[in-house]
Amino acid sequence: MSEFYRNVQENYSKLNELERRILEYIKENLSHKKHLTLNDVSDKFFISPNTVVRLAKKLGYSGFVQLREDLIHSLTPSIDFQSWSIDNQLLKTKKLLKEEAFKEIIHLLDEKKEILFYAHGLSKYSCDIVADKLRILGKNATVFNERHLMLHSAIHSNHESLIFLVSMSGETKNIVECANVASVNGAIIVSITGLSQNSLEKIANINIFVDYHRQVYEGMDISSRFSVSYFFEVLISKYISIIRNV
């Protein structure tokens, strides 16, 4: 799911009837043309521009322009197989992964009593697989992808918790929120994001950067999580090699 549609899903109940009509008008018009101004919207409904800005803020945006650009991005197919491939993603991710980070995380896997994974959308499936493998290896591993359960877990985390947070942008609102809560509670945070300066990597104790290319089709996120899965597979392989030699 794109950030725009996720924001709408999470905040739609906050909108009144007029704001819902305005939102539908914006969506309908931007699906046919790429330019729509704040004044276009306010003139259409005979309202002040501030009313439209308040709508945008209720959905989590700084203003109308940010809402408009995010919606346009969600409507634009972004698949380009000529400039992007799984092979390229693997090669770039290999270069980004650091041996010292693996060593530190493997030590924490042995030390911590609970291992938690917070992720949304397609990222959850990479976490499910590594959590299954950790449970087979005798570790207490759990995956959370529902907002309220994730926050509940973060509130009850402590210094015995190791938490992997997956957000390709590093800006997923509720994952950043949970990272802040868990960090205050003394949990160790491992962020897994695309290569960028982002909110999540500023909170985390350990930052894992992977190659990531955002791909959207008809408003839906279909971006590959291969690089995330690759990181987890390498981590598990190294962890098994160490425990076999103990």
Side-chain angles (χ1 to χ4, degrees):
M1 183 182 293
S2 70
E3 286 298 315
F4 172 79
Y5 286 101
R6 183 177 292 114
N7 286 340
V8 171
Q9 183 182 63
E10 291 180 356
N11 298 293
Y12 193 72
S13 62
K14 300 176 184 178
L15 306 183
N16 60 40
E17 184 59 35
L18 174 60
E19 289 169 334
R20 293 179 183 186
R21 285 168 46 212
I22 295 170
L23 180 61
E24 289 305 312
Y25 172 78
I26 294 171
K27 287 165 57 182
E28 178 67 22
N29 274 265
L30 286 177
S31 66
H32 299 299
K33 59 181 182 180
K34 298 303 180 186
H35 188 67
L36 184 70
T37 68
L38 180 59
N39 287 333
D40 289 337
V41 180
S42 59
D43 289 348
K44 170 68 178 178
F45 289 89
F46 304 102
I47 56 176
S48 72
N50 283 340
T51 302
V52 184
V53 172
R54 282 195 295 272
L55 160 64
K57 289 185 175 180
K58 282 186 179 181
L59 294 175
Y61 296 102
S62 60
F64 173 75
V65 172
Q66 189 183 23
L67 182 153
R68 180 186 65 195
E69 296 308 307
D70 201 15
L71 175 55
I72 289 172
H73 189 72
S74 75
L75 294 170
T76 305
S78 59
I79 304 174
D80 182 356
F81 291 107
Q82 291 183 331
S83 62
W84 174 87
S85 73
I86 291 293
D87 290 341
N88 287 335
Q89 190 176 27
L90 174 59
L91 290 172
K92 291 179 181 178
T93 297
K94 279 184 172 181
K95 292 178 181 179
L96 291 170
L97 298 178
K98 307 300 181 185
E99 188 61 33
E100 284 305 310
F102 280 117
K103 289 179 180 178
E104 190 173 356
I105 294 170
I106 287 168
H107 172 72
L108 291 166
L109 286 174
D110 256 347
E111 181 183 77
K112 300 303 178 182
K113 290 184 178 178
E114 67 171 0
I115 303 163
L116 307 174
F117 297 85
Y118 298 167
H120 275 315
L122 298 178
S123 299
K124 172 185 180 292
Y125 301 108
S126 298
C127 295
D128 283 336
I129 293 171
V130 69
D132 283 345
K133 292 184 177 184
L134 285 169
R135 284 192 289 269
I136 291 170
L137 294 170
K139 307 302 294 184
N140 177 20
T142 309
V143 179
F144 294 93
N145 74 312
E146 197 280 324
R147 179 175 178 267
H148 295 97
L149 293 176
M150 196 183 297
L151 183 57
H152 181 268
S153 167
I155 290 170
H156 289 86
S157 64
N158 54 53
H159 67 282
E160 295 289 355
S161 307
L162 172 63
I163 308 180
F164 293 87
L165 297 102
V166 184
S167 168
M168 306 316 296
S169 66
E171 301 294 344
T172 308
K173 186 176 179 181
N174 61 301
I175 289 184
V176 172
E177 177 188 14
C178 290
N180 277 310
V181 172
S183 179
V184 169
N185 288 342
I188 298 296
I189 307 295
V190 179
S191 71
I192 303 171
T193 71
L195 182 59
S196 67
Q197 290 186 333
N198 58 73
S199 299
L200 196 55
E201 58 99 7
K202 293 174 183 176
I203 302 167
N205 303 93
I206 303 171
N207 296 306
I208 299 298
F209 295 108
V210 298
D211 189 56
Y212 167 68
H213 294 263
R214 180 175 170 81
Q215 295 179 307
V216 177
Y217 184 73
E218 294 184 351
M220 300 298 292
D221 176 22
I222 60 168
S223 308
S224 169
R225 301 311 198 268
F226 176 74
S227 57
V228 177
S229 297
Y230 175 76
F231 160 70
F232 281 138
E233 289 297 333
V234 174
L235 177 64
I236 289 294
S237 177
K238 289 178 180 290
Y239 182 58
I240 290 173
S241 294
I242 286 174
I243 61 178
R244 278 179 173 170
N245 293 325
V246 172

PDB file of all heavy atoms in Angstrom, residues 95-123:
ATOM      1  N   LYS A  95      27.446  -4.600  -1.097  1.00  0.00           N
ATOM      2  CA  LYS A  95      28.412  -3.543  -0.813  1.00  0.00           C
ATOM      3  C   LYS A  95      28.027  -2.733   0.422  1.00  0.00           C
ATOM      4  O   LYS A  95      28.894  -2.191   1.121  1.00  0.00           O
ATOM      5  CB  LYS A  95      28.545  -2.614  -2.018  1.00  0.00           C
ATOM      6  CG  LYS A  95      29.194  -3.263  -3.228  1.00  0.00           C
ATOM      7  CD  LYS A  95      29.258  -2.295  -4.403  1.00  0.00           C
ATOM      8  CE  LYS A  95      29.888  -2.954  -5.631  1.00  0.00           C
ATOM      9  NZ  LYS A  95      29.923  -2.023  -6.790  1.00  0.00           N
ATOM     10  N   LEU A  96      26.729  -2.654   0.698  1.00  0.00           N
ATOM     11  CA  LEU A  96      26.250  -1.853   1.821  1.00  0.00           C
ATOM     12  C   LEU A  96      26.364  -2.579   3.166  1.00  0.00           C
ATOM     13  O   LEU A  96      26.495  -1.944   4.203  1.00  0.00           O
ATOM     14  CB  LEU A  96      24.787  -1.445   1.597  1.00  0.00           C
ATOM     15  CG  LEU A  96      24.523  -0.435   0.481  1.00  0.00           C
ATOM     16  CD1 LEU A  96      23.020  -0.316   0.220  1.00  0.00           C
ATOM     17  CD2 LEU A  96      25.096   0.921   0.848  1.00  0.00           C
ATOM     18  N   LEU A  97      26.296  -3.901   3.134  1.00  0.00           N
ATOM     19  CA  LEU A  97      26.309  -4.675   4.380  1.00  0.00           C
ATOM     20  C   LEU A  97      27.731  -4.765   4.948  1.00  0.00           C
ATOM     21  O   LEU A  97      28.675  -5.049   4.225  1.00  0.00           O
ATOM     22  CB  LEU A  97      25.749  -6.073   4.140  1.00  0.00           C
ATOM     23  CG  LEU A  97      24.284  -6.126   3.684  1.00  0.00           C
ATOM     24  CD1 LEU A  97      23.851  -7.562   3.435  1.00  0.00           C
ATOM     25  CD2 LEU A  97      23.367  -5.457   4.703  1.00  0.00           C
ATOM     26  N   LYS A  98      27.842  -4.533   6.252  1.00  0.00           N
ATOM     27  CA  LYS A  98      29.141  -4.484   6.919  1.00  0.00           C
ATOM     28  C   LYS A  98      29.317  -5.663   7.877  1.00  0.00           C
ATOM     29  O   LYS A  98      28.413  -5.990   8.642  1.00  0.00           O
ATOM     30  CB  LYS A  98      29.289  -3.169   7.691  1.00  0.00           C
ATOM     31  CG  LYS A  98      29.038  -1.918   6.856  1.00  0.00           C
ATOM     32  CD  LYS A  98      30.004  -1.801   5.688  1.00  0.00           C
ATOM     33  CE  LYS A  98      29.762  -0.541   4.873  1.00  0.00           C
ATOM     34  NZ  LYS A  98      30.618  -0.482   3.670  1.00  0.00           N
ATOM     35  N   GLU A  99      30.493  -6.272   7.835  1.00  0.00           N
ATOM     36  CA  GLU A  99      30.773  -7.444   8.668  1.00  0.00           C
ATOM     37  C   GLU A  99      30.657  -7.122  10.155  1.00  0.00           C
ATOM     38  O   GLU A  99      30.171  -7.943  10.951  1.00  0.00           O
ATOM     39  CB  GLU A  99      32.162  -7.985   8.354  1.00  0.00           C
ATOM     40  CG  GLU A  99      32.479  -9.317   9.023  1.00  0.00           C
ATOM     41  CD  GLU A  99      31.527 -10.433   8.596  1.00  0.00           C
ATOM     42  OE1 GLU A  99      31.064 -10.412   7.425  1.00  0.00           O
ATOM     43  OE2 GLU A  99      31.241 -11.305   9.437  1.00  0.00           O
ATOM     44  N   GLU A 100      31.068  -5.940  10.554  1.00  0.00           N
ATOM     45  CA  GLU A 100      31.004  -5.566  11.970  1.00  0.00           C
ATOM     46  C   GLU A 100      29.563  -5.539  12.459  1.00  0.00           C
ATOM     47  O   GLU A 100      29.281  -5.897  13.609  1.00  0.00           O
ATOM     48  CB  GLU A 100      31.671  -4.199  12.186  1.00  0.00           C
ATOM     49  CG  GLU A 100      33.180  -4.241  12.153  1.00  0.00           C
ATOM     50  CD  GLU A 100      33.754  -5.247  13.148  1.00  0.00           C
ATOM     51  OE1 GLU A 100      33.356  -5.214  14.323  1.00  0.00           O
ATOM     52  OE2 GLU A 100      34.597  -6.067  12.746  1.00  0.00           O
ATOM     53  N   ALA A 101      28.662  -5.099  11.603  1.00  0.00           N
ATOM     54  CA  ALA A 101      27.244  -5.061  11.993  1.00  0.00           C
ATOM     55  C   ALA A 101      26.712  -6.476  12.201  1.00  0.00           C
ATOM     56  O   ALA A 101      25.970  -6.738  13.161  1.00  0.00           O
ATOM     57  CB  ALA A 101      26.423  -4.330  10.930  1.00  0.00           C
ATOM     58  N   PHE A 102      27.094  -7.393  11.318  1.00  0.00           N
ATOM     59  CA  PHE A 102      26.681  -8.797  11.487  1.00  0.00           C
ATOM     60  C   PHE A 102      27.186  -9.352  12.822  1.00  0.00           C
ATOM     61  O   PHE A 102      26.442 -10.015  13.557  1.00  0.00           O
ATOM     62  CB  PHE A 102      27.208  -9.652  10.337  1.00  0.00           C
ATOM     63  CG  PHE A 102      26.398  -9.552   9.079  1.00  0.00           C
ATOM     64  CD1 PHE A 102      26.949  -9.034   7.919  1.00  0.00           C
ATOM     65  CD2 PHE A 102      25.081  -9.984   9.043  1.00  0.00           C
ATOM     66  CE1 PHE A 102      26.207  -8.948   6.757  1.00  0.00           C
ATOM     67  CE2 PHE A 102      24.325  -9.910   7.886  1.00  0.00           C
ATOM     68  CZ  PHE A 102      24.894  -9.384   6.729  1.00  0.00           C
ATOM     69  N   LYS A 103      28.434  -9.105  13.143  1.00  0.00           N
ATOM     70  CA  LYS A 103      29.012  -9.618  14.384  1.00  0.00           C
ATOM     71  C   LYS A 103      28.271  -9.079  15.606  1.00  0.00           C
ATOM     72  O   LYS A 103      27.985  -9.821  16.558  1.00  0.00           O
ATOM     73  CB  LYS A 103      30.490  -9.241  14.463  1.00  0.00           C
ATOM     74  CG  LYS A 103      31.382  -9.981  13.490  1.00  0.00           C
ATOM     75  CD  LYS A 103      32.839  -9.541  13.616  1.00  0.00           C
ATOM     76  CE  LYS A 103      33.730 -10.293  12.639  1.00  0.00           C
ATOM     77  NZ  LYS A 103      35.137  -9.831  12.726  1.00  0.00           N
ATOM     78  N   GLU A 104      27.956  -7.802  15.565  1.00  0.00           N
ATOM     79  CA  GLU A 104      27.262  -7.181  16.696  1.00  0.00           C
ATOM     80  C   GLU A 104      25.852  -7.752  16.854  1.00  0.00           C
ATOM     81  O   GLU A 104      25.414  -8.055  17.976  1.00  0.00           O
ATOM     82  CB  GLU A 104      27.206  -5.661  16.488  1.00  0.00           C
ATOM     83  CG  GLU A 104      26.716  -4.915  17.711  1.00  0.00           C
ATOM     84  CD  GLU A 104      26.837  -3.408  17.552  1.00  0.00           C
ATOM     85  OE1 GLU A 104      27.370  -2.943  16.519  1.00  0.00           O
ATOM     86  OE2 GLU A 104      26.378  -2.696  18.465  1.00  0.00           O
ATOM     87  N   ILE A 105      25.156  -7.934  15.742  1.00  0.00           N
ATOM     88  CA  ILE A 105      23.787  -8.460  15.806  1.00  0.00           C
ATOM     89  C   ILE A 105      23.781  -9.913  16.262  1.00  0.00           C
ATOM     90  O   ILE A 105      22.926 -10.328  17.052  1.00  0.00           O
ATOM     91  CB  ILE A 105      23.089  -8.309  14.440  1.00  0.00           C
ATOM     92  CG1 ILE A 105      22.899  -6.826  14.103  1.00  0.00           C
ATOM     93  CG2 ILE A 105      21.718  -9.006  14.452  1.00  0.00           C
ATOM     94  CD1 ILE A 105      22.442  -6.565  12.682  1.00  0.00           C
ATOM     95  N   ILE A 106      24.736 -10.705  15.772  1.00  0.00           N
ATOM     96  CA  ILE A 106      24.814 -12.122  16.185  1.00  0.00           C
ATOM     97  C   ILE A 106      25.057 -12.229  17.686  1.00  0.00           C
ATOM     98  O   ILE A 106      24.449 -13.068  18.370  1.00  0.00           O
ATOM     99  CB  ILE A 106      25.915 -12.844  15.380  1.00  0.00           C
ATOM    100  CG1 ILE A 106      25.437 -13.052  13.939  1.00  0.00           C
ATOM    101  CG2 ILE A 106      26.288 -14.178  16.024  1.00  0.00           C
ATOM    102  CD1 ILE A 106      26.522 -13.496  12.990  1.00  0.00           C
ATOM    103  N   HIS A 107      25.898 -11.365  18.218  1.00  0.00           N
ATOM    104  CA  HIS A 107      26.114 -11.346  19.668  1.00  0.00           C
ATOM    105  C   HIS A 107      24.804 -11.034  20.401  1.00  0.00           C
ATOM    106  O   HIS A 107      24.475 -11.659  21.420  1.00  0.00           O
ATOM    107  CB  HIS A 107      27.172 -10.304  20.023  1.00  0.00           C
ATOM    108  CG  HIS A 107      27.335 -10.081  21.490  1.00  0.00           C
ATOM    109  ND1 HIS A 107      27.930 -10.999  22.336  1.00  0.00           N
ATOM    110  CD2 HIS A 107      26.948  -9.032  22.286  1.00  0.00           C
ATOM    111  CE1 HIS A 107      27.912 -10.542  23.568  1.00  0.00           C
ATOM    112  NE2 HIS A 107      27.319  -9.356  23.575  1.00  0.00           N
ATOM    113  N   LEU A 108      24.036 -10.099  19.869  1.00  0.00           N
ATOM    114  CA  LEU A 108      22.766  -9.714  20.488  1.00  0.00           C
ATOM    115  C   LEU A 108      21.725 -10.827  20.376  1.00  0.00           C
ATOM    116  O   LEU A 108      20.910 -11.014  21.286  1.00  0.00           O
ATOM    117  CB  LEU A 108      22.236  -8.436  19.840  1.00  0.00           C
ATOM    118  CG  LEU A 108      23.049  -7.169  20.136  1.00  0.00           C
ATOM    119  CD1 LEU A 108      22.659  -6.040  19.186  1.00  0.00           C
ATOM    120  CD2 LEU A 108      22.852  -6.735  21.585  1.00  0.00           C
ATOM    121  N   LEU A 109      21.743 -11.566  19.267  1.00  0.00           N
ATOM    122  CA  LEU A 109      20.817 -12.700  19.117  1.00  0.00           C
ATOM    123  C   LEU A 109      21.032 -13.718  20.226  1.00  0.00           C
ATOM    124  O   LEU A 109      20.076 -14.331  20.729  1.00  0.00           O
ATOM    125  CB  LEU A 109      21.010 -13.365  17.754  1.00  0.00           C
ATOM    126  CG  LEU A 109      20.479 -12.624  16.527  1.00  0.00           C
ATOM    127  CD1 LEU A 109      20.880 -13.360  15.257  1.00  0.00           C
ATOM    128  CD2 LEU A 109      18.965 -12.458  16.583  1.00  0.00           C
ATOM    129  N   ASP A 110      22.270 -13.911  20.613  1.00  0.00           N
ATOM    130  CA  ASP A 110      22.589 -14.844  21.697  1.00  0.00           C
ATOM    131  C   ASP A 110      22.210 -14.271  23.062  1.00  0.00           C
ATOM    132  O   ASP A 110      21.750 -14.989  23.940  1.00  0.00           O
ATOM    133  CB  ASP A 110      24.094 -15.140  21.695  1.00  0.00           C
ATOM    134  CG  ASP A 110      24.396 -16.515  21.120  1.00  0.00           C
ATOM    135  OD1 ASP A 110      23.460 -17.317  20.960  1.00  0.00           O
ATOM    136  OD2 ASP A 110      25.570 -16.775  20.826  1.00  0.00           O
ATOM    137  N   GLU A 111      22.361 -12.980  23.204  1.00  0.00           N
ATOM    138  CA  GLU A 111      22.255 -12.339  24.510  1.00  0.00           C
ATOM    139  C   GLU A 111      20.816 -12.017  24.912  1.00  0.00           C
ATOM    140  O   GLU A 111      20.442 -12.170  26.087  1.00  0.00           O
ATOM    141  CB  GLU A 111      23.079 -11.036  24.490  1.00  0.00           C
ATOM    142  CG  GLU A 111      23.093 -10.278  25.779  1.00  0.00           C
ATOM    143  CD  GLU A 111      23.877  -8.977  25.646  1.00  0.00           C
ATOM    144  OE1 GLU A 111      23.330  -8.026  25.064  1.00  0.00           O
ATOM    145  OE2 GLU A 111      25.039  -8.926  26.115  1.00  0.00           O
ATOM    146  N   LYS A 112      20.001 -11.567  23.974  1.00  0.00           N
ATOM    147  CA  LYS A 112      18.672 -11.056  24.304  1.00  0.00           C
ATOM    148  C   LYS A 112      17.635 -12.178  24.441  1.00  0.00           C
ATOM    149  O   LYS A 112      17.695 -13.195  23.747  1.00  0.00           O
ATOM    150  CB  LYS A 112      18.214 -10.049  23.253  1.00  0.00           C
ATOM    151  CG  LYS A 112      19.124  -8.838  23.123  1.00  0.00           C
ATOM    152  CD  LYS A 112      19.277  -8.100  24.459  1.00  0.00           C
ATOM    153  CE  LYS A 112      20.210  -6.914  24.345  1.00  0.00           C
ATOM    154  NZ  LYS A 112      20.395  -6.224  25.647  1.00  0.00           N
ATOM    155  N   LYS A 113      16.660 -11.957  25.326  1.00  0.00           N
ATOM    156  CA  LYS A 113      15.658 -12.984  25.605  1.00  0.00           C
ATOM    157  C   LYS A 113      14.510 -12.989  24.608  1.00  0.00           C
ATOM    158  O   LYS A 113      13.836 -14.012  24.438  1.00  0.00           O
ATOM    159  CB  LYS A 113      15.109 -12.788  27.024  1.00  0.00           C
ATOM    160  CG  LYS A 113      16.113 -13.110  28.116  1.00  0.00           C
ATOM    161  CD  LYS A 113      15.496 -12.993  29.499  1.00  0.00           C
ATOM    162  CE  LYS A 113      16.507 -13.363  30.578  1.00  0.00           C
ATOM    163  NZ  LYS A 113      15.920 -13.214  31.942  1.00  0.00           N
ATOM    164  N   GLU A 114      14.240 -11.846  23.977  1.00  0.00           N
ATOM    165  CA  GLU A 114      13.182 -11.808  22.970  1.00  0.00           C
ATOM    166  C   GLU A 114      13.649 -11.033  21.746  1.00  0.00           C
ATOM    167  O   GLU A 114      14.359 -10.038  21.851  1.00  0.00           O
ATOM    168  CB  GLU A 114      11.890 -11.198  23.524  1.00  0.00           C
ATOM    169  CG  GLU A 114      11.950  -9.738  23.869  1.00  0.00           C
ATOM    170  CD  GLU A 114      10.581  -9.161  24.212  1.00  0.00           C
ATOM    171  OE1 GLU A 114       9.575  -9.906  24.175  1.00  0.00           O
ATOM    172  OE2 GLU A 114      10.508  -7.947  24.517  1.00  0.00           O
ATOM    173  N   ILE A 115      13.251 -11.543  20.573  1.00  0.00           N
ATOM    174  CA  ILE A 115      13.608 -10.918  19.308  1.00  0.00           C
ATOM    175  C   ILE A 115      12.310 -10.554  18.606  1.00  0.00           C
ATOM    176  O   ILE A 115      11.465 -11.422  18.343  1.00  0.00           O
ATOM    177  CB  ILE A 115      14.452 -11.862  18.434  1.00  0.00           C
ATOM    178  CG1 ILE A 115      15.703 -12.297  19.205  1.00  0.00           C
ATOM    179  CG2 ILE A 115      14.838 -11.189  17.130  1.00  0.00           C
ATOM    180  CD1 ILE A 115      16.386 -13.508  18.634  1.00  0.00           C
ATOM    181  N   LEU A 116      12.134  -9.280  18.332  1.00  0.00           N
ATOM    182  CA  LEU A 116      10.887  -8.776  17.767  1.00  0.00           C
ATOM    183  C   LEU A 116      11.143  -8.170  16.394  1.00  0.00           C
ATOM    184  O   LEU A 116      12.216  -7.625  16.126  1.00  0.00           O
ATOM    185  CB  LEU A 116      10.286  -7.712  18.688  1.00  0.00           C
ATOM    186  CG  LEU A 116      10.106  -8.122  20.159  1.00  0.00           C
ATOM    187  CD1 LEU A 116       9.645  -6.925  20.983  1.00  0.00           C
ATOM    188  CD2 LEU A 116       9.123  -9.277  20.274  1.00  0.00           C
ATOM    189  N   PHE A 117      10.135  -8.276  15.531  1.00  0.00           N
ATOM    190  CA  PHE A 117      10.203  -7.704  14.188  1.00  0.00           C
ATOM    191  C   PHE A 117       8.974  -6.828  13.976  1.00  0.00           C
ATOM    192  O   PHE A 117       7.844  -7.287  14.167  1.00  0.00           O
ATOM    193  CB  PHE A 117      10.237  -8.810  13.125  1.00  0.00           C
ATOM    194  CG  PHE A 117      11.446  -9.697  13.203  1.00  0.00           C
ATOM    195  CD1 PHE A 117      11.465 -10.784  14.069  1.00  0.00           C
ATOM    196  CD2 PHE A 117      12.560  -9.462  12.410  1.00  0.00           C
ATOM    197  CE1 PHE A 117      12.570 -11.610  14.159  1.00  0.00           C
ATOM    198  CE2 PHE A 117      13.678 -10.282  12.488  1.00  0.00           C
ATOM    199  CZ  PHE A 117      13.680 -11.357  13.364  1.00  0.00           C
ATOM    200  N   TYR A 118       9.194  -5.570  13.577  1.00  0.00           N
ATOM    201  CA  TYR A 118       8.101  -4.657  13.266  1.00  0.00           C
ATOM    202  C   TYR A 118       8.189  -4.311  11.781  1.00  0.00           C
ATOM    203  O   TYR A 118       9.225  -3.813  11.314  1.00  0.00           O
ATOM    204  CB  TYR A 118       8.196  -3.365  14.067  1.00  0.00           C
ATOM    205  CG  TYR A 118       8.109  -3.513  15.569  1.00  0.00           C
ATOM    206  CD1 TYR A 118       8.444  -2.441  16.396  1.00  0.00           C
ATOM    207  CD2 TYR A 118       7.690  -4.700  16.174  1.00  0.00           C
ATOM    208  CE1 TYR A 118       8.359  -2.539  17.783  1.00  0.00           C
ATOM    209  CE2 TYR A 118       7.603  -4.818  17.550  1.00  0.00           C
ATOM    210  CZ  TYR A 118       7.952  -3.740  18.351  1.00  0.00           C
ATOM    211  OH  TYR A 118       7.874  -3.854  19.722  1.00  0.00           O
ATOM    212  N   ALA A 119       7.124  -4.571  11.047  1.00  0.00           N
ATOM    213  CA  ALA A 119       7.139  -4.300   9.602  1.00  0.00           C
ATOM    214  C   ALA A 119       5.715  -4.164   9.093  1.00  0.00           C
ATOM    215  O   ALA A 119       4.767  -4.687   9.693  1.00  0.00           O
ATOM    216  CB  ALA A 119       7.860  -5.411   8.844  1.00  0.00           C
ATOM    217  N   HIS A 120       5.568  -3.466   7.952  1.00  0.00           N
ATOM    218  CA  HIS A 120       4.272  -3.304   7.301  1.00  0.00           C
ATOM    219  C   HIS A 120       4.314  -3.891   5.901  1.00  0.00           C
ATOM    220  O   HIS A 120       5.380  -4.024   5.287  1.00  0.00           O
ATOM    221  CB  HIS A 120       3.912  -1.817   7.186  1.00  0.00           C
ATOM    222  CG  HIS A 120       3.252  -1.267   8.404  1.00  0.00           C
ATOM    223  ND1 HIS A 120       2.241  -1.902   9.073  1.00  0.00           N
ATOM    224  CD2 HIS A 120       3.466  -0.101   9.084  1.00  0.00           C
ATOM    225  CE1 HIS A 120       1.854  -1.172  10.097  1.00  0.00           C
ATOM    226  NE2 HIS A 120       2.593  -0.081  10.135  1.00  0.00           N
ATOM    227  N   GLY A 121       3.153  -4.198   5.371  1.00  0.00           N
ATOM    228  CA  GLY A 121       3.033  -4.576   3.968  1.00  0.00           C
ATOM    229  C   GLY A 121       3.897  -5.761   3.590  1.00  0.00           C
ATOM    230  O   GLY A 121       4.024  -6.738   4.326  1.00  0.00           O
ATOM    231  N   LEU A 122       4.540  -5.658   2.423  1.00  0.00           N
ATOM    232  CA  LEU A 122       5.333  -6.767   1.900  1.00  0.00           C
ATOM    233  C   LEU A 122       6.562  -7.070   2.753  1.00  0.00           C
ATOM    234  O   LEU A 122       7.069  -8.192   2.726  1.00  0.00           O
ATOM    235  CB  LEU A 122       5.763  -6.458   0.460  1.00  0.00           C
ATOM    236  CG  LEU A 122       4.633  -6.275  -0.563  1.00  0.00           C
ATOM    237  CD1 LEU A 122       5.208  -5.919  -1.938  1.00  0.00           C
ATOM    238  CD2 LEU A 122       3.775  -7.525  -0.661  1.00  0.00           C
ATOM    239  N   SER A 123       7.030  -6.107   3.520  1.00  0.00           N
ATOM    240  CA  SER A 123       8.208  -6.325   4.357  1.00  0.00           C
ATOM    241  C   SER A 123       7.958  -7.385   5.416  1.00  0.00           C
ATOM    242  O   SER A 123       8.896  -8.030   5.904  1.00  0.00           O
ATOM    243  CB  SER A 123       8.629  -5.018   5.037  1.00  0.00           C
ATOM    244  OG  SER A 123       8.965  -4.037   4.082  1.00  0.00           O
TER     245      SER A 123
END
